């Protein structure tokens, strides 16, 4: 039997991702609880195996003793003529064999579902699993991750998790759109035991797995409207299951649908796929920028300057390293605004927000002490302290989707984003209208104007709409503020 999809091992991705809307502290608590559960399950399995081994040793001793007695029987009639032998045989059937049968059939309680329900052990729910699978498919879509590499636990050339079985790949395919499902189905076929493995178990698994994969392929192709390929799949299935009535019925149904089809092949399929919600041009551009930013560790700007501002004593003593990303609109990356020690202190000053559920990020609250420590940043950006809105902390994880933030809804003249914790992969800030993707380093501030330079103060510059890419690995923590 195949185990469920191993995406929890792939990013830690899919266990923490199953808790959409939960605060990050509770996510970590549940993850730790699940890891504790696995530790207990491993320990109990080891105990179970040890008990079975002891049980088998006892059965083996009893069997060897009976075999030794049995081997001494040269003549059945002569042996049965001895009343002591008859008594011994009858005794064995009365006491020994029933006991051996009981030992052979005995099991120790190890019920993953109901057996642990009364013991306070944390277990993932079916909903957790479904959401994790959905999040994996979202990340695959945004970053165009290959199914074959993903199934090996490899993302962008980095080994992030364990390999998936053919059953895992099949389960992902069943939850995917047709355009993605076919790659997962191909990967599942490639992961079946090879024909060179001549063991009976491998042969049985290979034949059973091939049937399951073809059945899923037939169902997916038929629902997608690809009748020609569905017919080919049905014919392949009939070679393996020539007497299967369900497959025969499906084949007749497909042939009938093809016969009634008046439109040329391919055109009918196109009209079928039109019912699916397609991505907008802007969303496709955002995803392209996210993929490009994932491959780069820096923004690639050629305008990297050391700026010395003498308007205040602290700025005179602290030159700023500026990276000019755009002059119109004004976008600048201020490097090394906070030291690593200061960033660690800021992370300790972030509080949870109860009752809020973000779609593109999880909102958090920065304590009063945290607000106080960040008062000097507006001066660094050329603003008075009173022109700044309070800083709001955000947490981005792989469970959050990408959505363009409409600055038109805000009344700020500019915005600032301070990165407090960089993810292992992903999480870039992108400006789709400018085709610009920025990986903000830890302790640095991204600053951009949201109003047109030549217009009135209330005229919003649509080019400054931003989106934050999904996090592929780890967690991104940041603080955002509006500047007036």
């Amino acid at each position: 039997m195949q185990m469920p999809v191993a995406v929890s091992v792939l990013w830690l991705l899919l266990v923490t991702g199953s808790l959409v809307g939960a605060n990050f502290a509770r996510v970590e608590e549940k993850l730790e609880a699940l890891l504790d559960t696995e530790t207990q399950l491993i320990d109990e399995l080891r105990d179970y195996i040890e008990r079975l081994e002891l049980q088998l040793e006892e059965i083996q001793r009893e069997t060897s003793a009976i075999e030794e007695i049995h081997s001494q029987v040269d003549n059945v009639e002569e042996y049965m003529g001895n009343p002591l032998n008859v008594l011994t045989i009858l005794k064995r059937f009365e006491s020994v064999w029933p006991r051996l049968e009981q030992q052979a059939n005995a099991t120790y309680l190890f019920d993953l579902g109901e057996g642990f329900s009364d013991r306070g052990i944390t277990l993932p729910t079916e909903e957790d699993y479904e959401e994790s699978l959905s999040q994996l498919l979202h990340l695959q879509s945004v970053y165009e991750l290959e199914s074959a590499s993903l199934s090996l636990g490899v993302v962008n050339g980095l080994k992030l998790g364990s390999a998936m079985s053919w059953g895992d790949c099949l389960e992902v395919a069943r939850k995917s759109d047709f355009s993605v499902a076919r790659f997962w189905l191909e990967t599942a076929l490639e992961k079946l035991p090879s024909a060179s493995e001549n063991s009976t178990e491998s042969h049985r698994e290979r034949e059973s797995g091939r049937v399951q994969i073809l059945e899923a392929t037939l169902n997916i192709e038929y629902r997608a409207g690809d009748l020609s390929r569905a017919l080919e799949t049905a014919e392949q299935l009939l070679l393996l299951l020539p007497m299967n009535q369900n497959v025969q019925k499906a084949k007749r149904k497909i042939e009938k649908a093809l016969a009634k089809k008046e439109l040329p092949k391919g055109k009918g399929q196109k009209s079928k796929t039109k019912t699916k919600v397609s991505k907008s041009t802007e969303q496709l551009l955002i995803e392209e920028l996210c993929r490009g930013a994932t491959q780069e560790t820096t923004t690639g700007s050629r305008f990297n300057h050391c700026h010395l501002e003498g308007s205040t004593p602290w700025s005179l003593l602290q030159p700023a390293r500026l990276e000019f990303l755009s002059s119109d609109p004004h976008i600048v990356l201020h490097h090394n605004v906070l030291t690593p020690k200061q960033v660690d202190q800021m992370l300790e000053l972030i509080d949870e927000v109860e009752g809020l559920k973000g779609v593109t990020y999880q909102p958090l609250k920065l304590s009063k002490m945290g607000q106080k420590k960040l008062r000097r940043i507006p001066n660094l950006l050329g603003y008075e302290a009173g022109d700044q809105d309070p800083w709001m902390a955000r947490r981005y994880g792989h469970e959050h989707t990408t959505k363009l933030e409409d600055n038109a809804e805000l009344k700020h003249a500019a915005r600032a984003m301070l990165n407090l914790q960089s993810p292992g992969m992903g999480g870039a800030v992108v400006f789709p209208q400018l085709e610009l993707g920025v990986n903000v380093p830890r302790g640095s501030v991204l600053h951009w104007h949201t109003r047109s330079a030549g217009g009135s103060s209330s005229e919003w510059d649509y080019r400054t709409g931003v989106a934050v890419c999904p996090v592929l690995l780890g967690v991104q923590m940041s603080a955002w503020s509006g500047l007036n």
Side-chain angles (χ1 to χ4, degrees):
M1 187 192 310
Q2 297 296 322
M3 296 295 292
V5 176
V7 284
S8 59
V9 184
L10 186 57
W11 323 105
L12 287 178
L13 268 181
L14 299 179
V15 174
T16 36
S18 64
L19 308 173
V20 178
N23 58 67
F24 70 98
R26 292 179 179 174
V27 170
E28 291 179 353
E29 287 177 3
K30 182 159 186 178
L31 176 58
E32 291 177 0
L34 291 176
L35 292 176
D36 290 340
T37 297
E38 281 198 326
T39 301
Q40 295 184 47
L41 294 179
I42 292 171
D43 291 338
E44 293 215 8
L45 275 175
R46 286 174 176 167
D47 293 340
Y48 179 72
I49 292 171
E50 290 176 1
R51 291 194 297 268
L52 283 181
E53 288 176 345
L54 292 174
Q55 185 177 335
L56 289 174
E57 289 177 3
E58 184 177 353
I59 294 175
Q60 181 63 43
R61 285 196 299 270
E62 293 279 2
T63 304
S64 299
I66 297 173
E67 269 187 327
E68 184 176 357
I69 296 173
H70 223 75
S71 63
Q72 297 175 1
V73 180
D74 295 328
N75 188 296
V76 177
E77 291 182 357
E78 183 177 326
Y79 185 83
M80 296 301 295
N82 186 334
L84 294 177
N85 291 340
V86 173
L87 182 63
T88 303
I89 291 176
L90 294 176
K91 183 180 179 180
R92 286 205 299 267
F93 278 97
E94 183 181 1
S95 60
V96 178
W97 283 113
R99 188 179 75 252
L100 290 175
E101 181 183 14
Q102 184 179 8
Q103 290 177 333
N105 294 331
T107 58
Y108 295 92
L109 182 61
F110 193 79
D111 193 330
L112 186 59
E114 300 177 358
F116 291 109
S117 59
D118 299 329
R119 295 169 52 184
I121 291 180
T122 302
L123 294 172
T125 64
E126 184 67 23
E127 183 181 357
D128 292 340
Y129 170 70
E130 293 291 338
E131 289 179 352
S132 294
L133 195 54
S134 175
Q135 291 151 18
L136 173 64
L137 292 172
H138 171 67
L139 292 174
Q140 183 181 15
S141 173
V142 172
Y143 290 102
E144 292 186 346
L145 305 176
E146 295 182 357
S147 301
S149 298
L150 201 56
S151 70
L152 298 175
V154 177
V155 178
N156 289 341
L158 298 178
K159 179 71 172 176
L160 301 183
S162 59
M164 300 164 69
S165 67
W166 67 264
D168 298 336
C169 298
L170 176 59
E171 187 66 23
V172 176
R174 287 170 173 160
K175 304 295 182 180
S176 308
D177 292 333
F178 175 67
S179 58
V180 178
R182 58 194 183 96
F183 294 110
W184 282 106
L185 291 168
E186 292 173 359
T187 304
L189 283 172
E190 293 173 356
K191 285 182 171 290
L192 289 173
S194 63
S196 59
E197 300 181 33
N198 297 323
S199 66
T200 304
E201 184 177 349
S202 297
H203 177 75
R204 187 184 300 112
E205 181 182 358
R206 183 169 61 251
E207 294 302 316
S208 174
R210 183 171 177 80
V211 169
Q212 293 182 50
I213 294 170
L214 288 176
E215 287 176 343
T217 304
L218 175 60
N219 185 39
I220 292 171
E221 289 172 342
Y222 182 78
R223 286 190 287 108
D226 195 343
L227 299 180
S228 299
R229 295 181 66 171
L231 181 60
E232 293 177 4
T233 304
E235 292 173 346
Q236 292 181 48
L237 262 175
L238 285 175
L239 293 176
L240 299 174
L241 305 171
M243 305 304 294
N244 190 292
Q245 296 182 0
N246 290 332
V247 180
Q248 293 174 356
K249 182 179 179 180
K251 182 174 181 291
R252 290 193 297 269
K253 186 176 181 179
I254 296 171
E255 289 173 337
K256 185 177 180 180
L258 281 172
K260 290 183 177 180
K261 210 172 183 183
E262 297 180 357
L263 295 176
K265 293 181 180 180
K267 192 172 182 181
Q269 178 187 349
K270 183 178 180 181
S271 62
K272 183 80 174 181
T273 56
K274 277 187 177 180
T275 58
K276 295 183 179 180
V277 178
S278 59
K279 296 180 181 178
S280 65
T281 303
E282 186 175 61
Q283 183 63 32
L284 292 173
L285 181 57
I286 290 174
E287 293 180 0
E288 182 180 349
L289 292 171
C290 289
R291 290 190 292 272
T294 304
Q295 304 297 331
E296 300 176 3
T297 57
T298 63
T299 57
S301 171
R302 298 179 181 179
F303 308 102
N304 202 339
H305 296 283
C306 183
H307 178 68
L308 185 63
E309 175 63 48
S311 58
T312 59
W314 66 266
S315 62
L316 181 63
L317 297 174
Q318 183 178 348
R321 179 190 166 197
L322 307 182
E323 190 173 351
F324 293 94
L325 306 176
S326 172
S327 57
D328 183 24
H330 179 78
I331 304 176
V332 178
L333 182 60
H334 295 252
H335 288 268
N336 306 323
V337 174
L338 298 183
T339 65
K341 183 178 180 180
Q342 290 172 327
V343 171
D344 291 337
Q345 293 174 347
M346 290 301 304
L347 289 173
E348 296 176 356
L349 300 175
I350 294 177
D351 299 325
E352 303 170 11
V353 177
E354 297 293 340
L356 293 179
K357 186 175 181 180
V359 176
T360 58
Y361 62 89
Q362 179 188 348
L364 304 169
K365 182 180 179 181
L366 202 59
S367 68
K368 292 182 179 180
M369 180 62 70
Q371 300 285 352
K372 184 178 179 180
K373 287 180 176 293
L374 296 181
R375 282 180 183 174
R376 72 179 183 85
I377 291 183
N379 299 98
L380 177 68
L381 305 179
Y383 297 86
E384 297 293 335
D387 294 335
Q388 175 197 8
D389 286 350
W391 290 89
M392 292 299 297
R394 298 180 178 183
R395 175 192 179 274
Y396 294 87
H398 63 265
E399 67 270 23
H400 296 117
T401 57
T402 304
K403 183 180 179 182
L404 185 68
E405 295 187 20
D406 189 357
N407 288 329
E409 300 176 357
L410 306 174
K411 303 301 181 183
H412 307 126
R415 299 187 73 187
M417 178 265 201
L418 167 64
N419 197 0
L420 299 173
Q421 179 175 323
S422 299
M425 195 179 298
V429 179
V430 297
F431 298 81
Q433 294 295 334
L434 302 173
E435 298 187 12
L436 174 65
V438 187
N439 287 302
V440 182
R442 185 172 187 256
S444 300
V445 173
L446 181 65
H447 170 228
W448 68 97
H449 292 173
T450 61
R451 305 291 163 178
S452 300
S456 65
S457 59
S458 61
E459 185 178 354
W460 174 64
D461 190 340
Y462 71 94
R463 298 173 298 174
T464 61
V466 299
V468 178
C469 301
V471 172
L472 267 169
L473 178 65
V475 170
Q476 178 164 270
M477 301 284 289
S478 57
W480 294 64
S481 179
L483 304 165
N484 300 313

